Amino acid sequence: MKRILLALAAVLLTACATAPERRSAKMQYANDGGVLFRVLPNVQSASMFFKNWQAISVVRLAGPGEKEQRFSVSPTTDGTTRSAVYAGTLPPGRYRFDAFSSQQCGYMCVSSSITMSEKFSRFTVQSGRLTDLGVLIQLRGSAAGDVLIAHTRQPDASATSEIVRESIPNFARLLTQPIGSWDEDTIPGAMSDLYRYSLVNSFGFVSPHQTKAGDVVYGSANGVMYRWKPGHHATPMDVGVRASIETTLVTSSGSWIAGGELGTLLMSTDEGRTWRSIRGALPFGVMTDLAQWRDQIIVTVLRGKNVRIYSADEATLDWKLLASHDLQISSFWDIQGVRPQSYLMGNMLVTTLPGRKLAAMDLVSWSIEIRSLPGAIQMFSASRDGVLRCRCAATIAVSPYESNDLGKTWKPSSASRFALLPAFKDSMHGVSYVGQWLAKGGALAYTEDGGKTWVEATKADVYFDNVFFSDDGTQAFAASAIGPRMISSDAGKTWRAAQY
């Protein structure tokens, strides 16, 4: 496998030599065809903040008496969180990728392009037709800085149709003609192996939930759910779509639900072996949160700057709209890229509305009250102690705040501004990860007085971006998206490494 990865690596970080001709999804010339593809970063540096999507350039190969031509195709993130959809019209001909948006240089970089190997797969554009390349999955190579790109041989036609209809309507007329894809004779022989490798190495640890057997299930970037039993290695389970899983749920009946970008909402009734769509009439968008209240499944859907809450009986899955909110996000004063999230607190559903609001909905009476946050939201949590917590920017600096009345009033928190929002097993005992300013690593910390004071327990040289308690409160977990995990059986005082 290592030899396969090295053979397909595209690793040179470089800038573009000449400016390519920009192409949009609008038909600029009568003879043009269209190209459509999606890039899914299955790597750590694709943060939910500071996305750095670049235009991707392609080269039209020279025919007899011609010169090569370079074109650029721009992205849209409509209906996505981690990935981006690229669409552009191009003159007929055979193409190769040139400068590729790699998402590899971190949160705050200006450019993140790599030069694609000329041995990478090629494609042909025909006049008046669509070339659909499906999903290109970026993943890490075996050496530091390596960037690998895997792709399917054939795209998902149903996904293509909806993406075009919802996000690229100018391409709708191209769907009436036969659709092309990769030039089969140019696909490297090891591409299928690399694609399989991308599935068993899906990045991330998202929205963990426990099963009745005590296993932890969670989502990841590449349409893979994992089942992890502490003390054992995690088992990947492909949900069948190449989309980031943003939220999961284990229902009271034992079903598993996975929701994510591009309208992904799937259910498994056999512990992840098979999956079926339960989206029904729900709109295209990002499924940001799942919860269960009594016998109702509640889903939060984000599309553009509108967030909607739906519910359905688990037995019928007939979705009904509970609430709709338009987000008010200042491009100057508020923190960009923050998604709305929903939290079930007894009979109340609390939904954050970036930049500076939240909606508190009484699920019994369906009454809704819009409440103010102490500043522009960056991070938010709600835990078993009944306290809402946010890292919010009242001015320029981001500081921690707490609310004991579901957001009616807020007060500054005594927690470090560098601490991950904590998890509590009851009103007094909680755990958190505390980072260090301009330093690598941090420490796992615990509190026994409801968060008034925190004690650093174990130094950590990785960033643990998910801390949580088991359902029965007997164990605390700290998980890193890149792999390492820790377990505590004494509410955070001592920790031990766990397999992953």
Side-chain angles (χ1 to χ4, degrees):
M1 179 61 73
K2 183 177 180 180
R3 184 173 62 255
I4 293 171
L5 301 184
L6 291 174
L8 292 173
V11 299
L12 296 178
L13 293 169
T14 177
C16 300
T18 59
E21 179 183 338
R22 290 185 175 274
R23 286 302 189 98
S24 70
K26 295 181 180 180
M27 289 295 174
Q28 295 176 246
Y29 302 98
N31 199 42
D32 280 351
V35 64
L36 174 70
F37 56 93
R38 186 160 57 91
V39 178
L40 175 62
N42 187 30
V43 290
Q44 179 182 8
S45 60
S47 170
M48 68 177 289
F49 301 115
F50 304 115
K51 286 185 171 62
N52 191 32
W53 289 109
Q54 311 287 319
I56 289 177
S57 67
V58 297
V59 173
R60 182 179 180 271
L61 303 179
E66 297 180 330
K67 293 183 178 180
E68 287 190 343
Q69 295 174 283
R70 296 178 69 246
F71 301 89
S72 69
V73 183
S74 298
T76 175
T77 54
D78 183 35
T80 68
T81 52
R82 176 174 287 267
S83 65
V85 177
Y86 286 80
T89 59
L90 296 170
R94 175 173 271 197
Y95 288 80
R96 64 175 175 85
F97 280 99
D98 181 26
F100 200 90
S101 178
S102 74
Q103 285 286 337
Q104 184 72 357
C105 64
Y107 293 166
M108 298 296 289
C109 57
V110 175
S111 175
S112 61
S113 292
I114 59 171
T115 296
M116 292 288 283
S117 167
E118 292 193 10
K119 296 181 180 180
F120 192 77
S121 309
R122 301 184 179 188
F123 61 94
T124 298
V125 173
Q126 299 184 55
S127 176
R129 295 188 176 183
L130 177 64
T131 297
D132 179 12
L133 304 180
V135 185
L136 286 79
I137 305 164
Q138 179 200 343
L139 62 155
R140 295 174 297 176
S142 56
D146 281 7
V147 177
L148 307 182
I149 305 292
H151 67 75
T152 56
R153 290 181 176 270
Q154 293 296 326
D156 181 345
S158 61
T160 299
S161 178
E162 182 164 43
I163 290 173
V164 168
R165 185 174 67 252
E166 295 287 346
S167 300
I168 321 289
N170 290 322
F171 274 16
R173 69 181 184 87
L174 300 182
L175 296 177
T176 62
Q177 299 295 321
I179 296 175
S181 190
W182 298 101
D183 293 342
E184 186 71 25
D185 62 322
T186 69
I187 299 176
M191 184 59 72
S192 295
D193 292 320
L194 183 59
Y195 177 73
R196 286 191 290 270
Y197 175 81
S198 77
L199 296 183
V200 297
N201 289 274
S202 188
F203 174 82
F205 189 103
V206 179
S207 185
H209 286 272
Q210 269 194 300
T211 68
K212 292 181 179 179
D215 298 349
V216 177
V217 296
Y218 58 93
S220 64
N222 192 20
V224 173
M225 286 273 286
Y226 282 92
R227 181 174 191 161
W228 175 53
K229 187 177 184 61
H232 299 78
H233 292 291
T235 302
M237 295 167 290
D238 183 11
V239 305
V241 297
R242 302 283 66 80
S244 179
I245 303 301
E246 300 295 318
T247 181
T248 71
L249 178 68
V250 176
T251 71
S252 58
S253 68
S255 295
W256 299 2
I257 304 179
E261 57 184 4
L262 298 169
T264 298
L265 191 63
L266 306 165
M267 174 181 279
S268 173
T269 57
D270 55 9
E271 298 186 328
R273 288 183 287 274
T274 60
W275 296 84
R276 65 182 177 91
S277 175
I278 59 170
R279 182 177 147 198
L282 291 178
F284 179 83
V286 181
M287 310 297 170
T288 66
D289 279 293
L290 288 161
Q292 182 172 15
W293 178 71
R294 299 179 181 175
D295 60 352
Q296 298 290 302
I297 306 301
I298 299 175
V299 60
T300 303
V301 186
L302 173 66
R303 177 70 186 276
K305 291 189 176 182
N306 177 259
V307 57
R308 298 185 181 186
I309 314 297
Y310 293 85
S311 71
D313 187 290
E314 185 181 355
T316 64
L317 296 172
D318 182 16
W319 299 104
K320 297 179 176 61
L321 179 65
L322 298 182
S324 176
H325 307 285
D326 289 326
L327 305 181
Q328 302 295 324
I329 305 174
S330 167
S331 59
F332 184 78
W333 294 108
D334 295 336
I335 299 173
Q336 305 302 302
V338 180
R339 299 196 308 271
Q341 296 174 278
S342 292
Y343 302 87
L344 187 62
M345 309 285 285
N347 291 326
M348 299 293 293
L349 186 73
V350 176
T351 301
T352 60
L353 305 175
R356 300 169 181 251
K357 301 289 183 180
L358 65 78
M361 180 177 186
D362 188 321
L363 294 172
V364 177
S365 66
W366 289 11
S367 61
I368 300 173
E369 184 176 333
I370 305 299
R371 298 168 182 170
S372 295
L373 293 167
I377 186 173
Q378 184 194 58
M379 294 184 180
F380 195 93
S381 73
S383 57
R384 298 178 193 176
D385 58 353
V387 179
L388 302 181
R389 294 177 173 85
C390 83
R391 289 178 58 178
C392 292
T395 54
I396 296 177
V398 176
S399 300
Y401 297 88
E402 298 180 355
S403 174
N404 290 280
D405 52 13
L406 297 184
K408 293 179 181 178
T409 60
W410 293 86
K411 63 181 180 181
S413 171
S414 59
S416 167
R417 68 173 64 244
F418 304 115
L420 191 70
L421 294 176
F424 280 79
K425 74 170 187 176
D426 54 39
S427 62
M428 303 303 289
H429 298 86
V431 293
S432 183
Y433 172 82
V434 181
Q436 304 292 330
W437 174 247
L438 297 180
K440 181 181 178 181
L444 292 165
Y446 69 94
T447 181
E448 295 180 303
D449 57 9
K452 295 178 183 178
T453 59
W454 290 87
V455 179
E456 292 190 1
T458 300
K459 294 291 183 182
D461 59 1
V462 297
Y463 178 74
F464 288 105
D465 56 358
N466 211 317
V467 292
F468 60 101
F469 278 93
S470 60
D471 290 346
D472 61 9
T474 60
Q475 291 184 312
F477 301 99
S480 165
I482 62 174
R485 283 161 209 173
M486 303 285 283
I487 300 176
S488 173
S489 299
D490 54 10
K493 294 179 181 178
T494 59
W495 296 83
R496 64 185 185 277
Q499 288 184 321
Y500 56 92

